Amino acid sequence: MSSEVAYPALYLKRNEDTRLRAGHLWVFSNEVDVKRSPLTGFEPGEACVIVDAHEKPLGVGYVNPNSLICARLVNRGVEHALDRSLLVHKLKVALSLRERLYPEPYYRLVYGEADALPGLTLDRFGDVIVAQTTTAGMERLKDDIAAAVAKVIKPDALVWKNDAGIRALEHLPEYADAGMHALPLSLLVREGGLDFEIDPLGGQKTGWFYDQRANRDLLAPYVRDARVLDMFSYLGGWGLRAAAAGAKEVICVDGSASAVEAIGRNAQRNGLADRVSAVRADAFEYLKTQRSARERFDVVILDPPAFVKRKKDFNEGRLAYRRINEMAMQILARDGILITCSCSYHLPRAALLEAVQQGARHLDRNVQVLAQLQQAPDHPVHPAIPETDYLKGFICRVLPA
Ligand code: SAH
């Protein structure tokens, strides 16, 4: 059956189809021919056909008249409606990558634009799916998403963790909701042979940072018999894996009380409690205290929250990266290892390395970059959408000059 969907047209101005044709999925409000298709004629999240100035349809998407990114292309061509069966198809494509990558069902199942599902994130924790929408278009499809997930994955529960700050850009409320499902009391994520207890409703983001898993897999050669400091540790992902790989002592530091308590339980659960401790502190304060006390660590891990959340915070954020990296180097043992990361999309990889190098020069140290880190392959990068490529990091050896 080859028919065309009957959604209202969103007309682009002349030449404003270039980015979409190059592979991107976003339409900005100034690119729309509002004389032909006034944005006010659309409801938030309404499905549309995106059409160029020559009447050629590019594909099916959805509109949000209240957002700067006023439409996103979901599917090229106009044969398929934005419905359950399209979602089922896309979920299967996403699932087949993850099943190739991972022997166990713990991964990011859908990473928005890069999985051709703009505005949707799905994380899988065994039989529980934690879902997040960041656009009105995906919010409107919630029931179809849940039904498609039920069909493809058959999970015990699907939780909506819709409390991301960026929802405000689409005028969406923030909430977390387990729906009709009874959640298991403690949900476990398995990584690197360890079990971590997570809180899918009350935790940060979707509960676990799968984006760092492949990087944590690289820890082993650096941490054997080492004294390790895991800064911004959250539930202890890096720190516990360092302990499991043979570190002799690990200290995890996070500002969140609930995270620090969970680290204690996670260390117990994995038989690592004798070598892992957790401290609730502000990272900058903690590093200062350690410096004054002349404490030394063989390995320091810095995995902070985004210091550059918006483009205009670039200068201030860059200085924060410079400062925290310099402080970390001050408590590194001679010939120590600094693992430094940034999840700020607006901070380029080169700027993070520059922050490290400036700190090193200031302290008269020499840095060798041993590995360049990026987000795990269950967070694929879309080559036409730079916004999908946000996580960067370096494993550095820091030597006296
Ligand atoms: N390293 C973690 C993810 C870190 S997310 C992992 O691999 O899973 C960032 C963490 O930094 C959060 O847990 C947050 O509570 C913590 N945080 C944010 N600002 C902080 C500060 N100023 N001092 C200490 N911790 C902070």
Side-chain angles (χ1 to χ4, degrees):
M1 198 177 66
S2 138
S3 58
E4 291 194 2
V5 296
Y7 297 140
L10 182 79
Y11 288 100
L12 302 178
K13 292 181 192 158
R14 189 177 295 271
N15 297 331
E16 298 293 11
D17 55 323
T18 313
R19 188 178 338 95
L20 292 182
R21 292 202 190 278
H24 211 298
L25 304 177
W26 297 354
V27 177
F28 289 92
S29 51
N30 63 333
E31 297 163 355
V32 173
D33 185 344
V34 288
K35 290 205 188 77
R36 289 178 94 179
S37 52
L39 280 166
T40 47
F42 290 90
E43 281 174 39
E46 192 175 345
C48 69
V49 174
I50 301 174
V51 184
D52 75 10
H54 306 291
E55 304 276 344
K56 259 194 136 78
L58 284 118
V60 171
Y62 57 71
V63 183
N64 187 346
N66 302 320
S67 174
L68 182 64
I69 302 169
C70 71
R72 297 186 199 218
L73 181 64
V74 180
N75 209 45
R76 290 177 195 268
V78 287
E79 299 81 37
H80 300 289
L82 273 192
D83 62 10
R84 194 169 302 186
S85 81
L86 184 67
L87 292 165
V88 164
H89 168 70
K90 291 187 178 235
L91 279 180
K92 285 182 175 166
V93 174
L95 179 64
S96 80
L97 169 68
R98 280 68 181 181
E99 287 187 330
R100 238 180 292 169
L101 289 169
Y102 307 112
E104 292 181 298
Y106 299 90
Y107 41 71
R108 173 149 296 187
L109 171 61
V110 167
Y111 176 51
E113 273 72 353
D115 281 303
L117 286 164
L120 180 66
T121 299
L122 299 177
D123 275 356
R124 180 170 191 184
F125 302 98
D127 292 320
V128 176
I129 298 287
V130 178
Q132 187 168 72
T133 64
T134 53
T135 59
M138 277 295 160
E139 185 81 4
R140 254 169 98 122
L141 288 170
K142 268 173 66 180
D143 291 347
D144 285 326
I145 294 165
V149 169
K151 182 158 181 192
V152 176
I153 307 284
K154 303 177 193 67
D156 293 339
L158 183 144
V159 177
W160 289 103
K161 185 74 165 34
N162 279 335
D163 57 1
I166 49 165
R167 283 171 60 92
L169 297 178
E170 297 252 343
H171 299 234
L172 293 169
E174 294 180 16
Y175 64 92
D177 175 11
M180 316 220 297
H181 304 288
L183 272 187
L185 281 178
S186 77
L187 185 55
L188 294 181
V189 54
R190 286 185 61 77
E191 185 188 297
L194 304 179
D195 287 325
F196 294 83
E197 165 199 316
I198 63 161
D199 177 355
L201 280 181
Q204 300 192 22
K205 305 280 171 89
T206 55
W208 185 247
F209 292 91
Y210 280 128
D211 55 357
Q212 288 281 21
R213 172 172 37 190
N215 300 329
R216 292 189 282 245
D217 289 345
L218 302 174
L219 272 172
Y222 305 109
V223 297
R224 215 157 286 132
D225 295 322
R227 186 165 194 238
V228 177
L229 181 61
D230 175 10
M231 298 299 297
F232 307 96
S233 60
Y234 187 43
L235 304 180
W238 288 95
L240 265 66
R241 293 207 52 196
K248 68 167 187 260
E249 184 192 353
V250 176
I251 302 178
C252 298
V253 178
D254 199 280
S256 150
S258 57
V260 166
E261 281 164 26
I263 293 169
R265 291 192 297 273
N266 285 331
Q268 281 286 345
R269 181 185 291 279
N270 292 288
L272 299 169
D274 56 330
R275 284 180 286 144
V276 176
S277 56
V279 179
R280 183 188 183 189
D282 172 75
F284 291 87
E285 291 299 318
Y286 185 83
L287 289 174
K288 201 154 71 180
T289 320
Q290 298 301 296
R291 185 184 61 201
S292 308
R294 301 188 172 281
E295 290 288 334
R296 290 292 179 270
F297 294 86
D298 304 301
V299 179
V300 177
I301 298 151
L302 294 178
D303 183 14
F307 289 153
V308 188
K309 289 207 170 60
R310 294 158 302 180
K311 207 170 174 180
K312 66 179 166 83
D313 302 332
F314 177 79
N315 273 322
E316 204 179 320
R318 189 176 57 85
L319 285 173
Y321 285 106
R322 152 90 204 261
R323 227 175 108 223
I324 197 94
N325 278 281
E326 184 169 330
M327 292 174 91
M329 284 187 263
Q330 285 175 315
I331 57 159
L332 264 187
R334 277 178 86 84
D335 196 353
I337 295 289
L338 173 68
I339 300 180
T340 184
C341 306
S342 163
C343 57
S344 301
Y345 161 68
H346 296 290
L347 185 89
R349 180 174 286 275
L352 176 62
L353 190 55
E354 191 179 279
V356 172
Q357 175 62 4
Q358 285 173 345
R361 285 318 309 145
H362 193 228
L363 300 174
D364 205 17
R365 305 284 163 85
N366 282 344
V367 168
Q368 296 176 312
V369 175
L370 310 181
Q372 310 219 25
L373 310 179
Q374 62 175 45
Q375 62 216 48
D378 54 352
H379 294 60
V381 171
H382 189 311
I385 309 182
E387 292 84 353
T388 59
D389 183 8
Y390 65 97
L391 184 65
K392 63 275 298 180
F394 300 94
I395 301 182
C396 301
R397 183 185 187 201
V398 182
L399 293 162

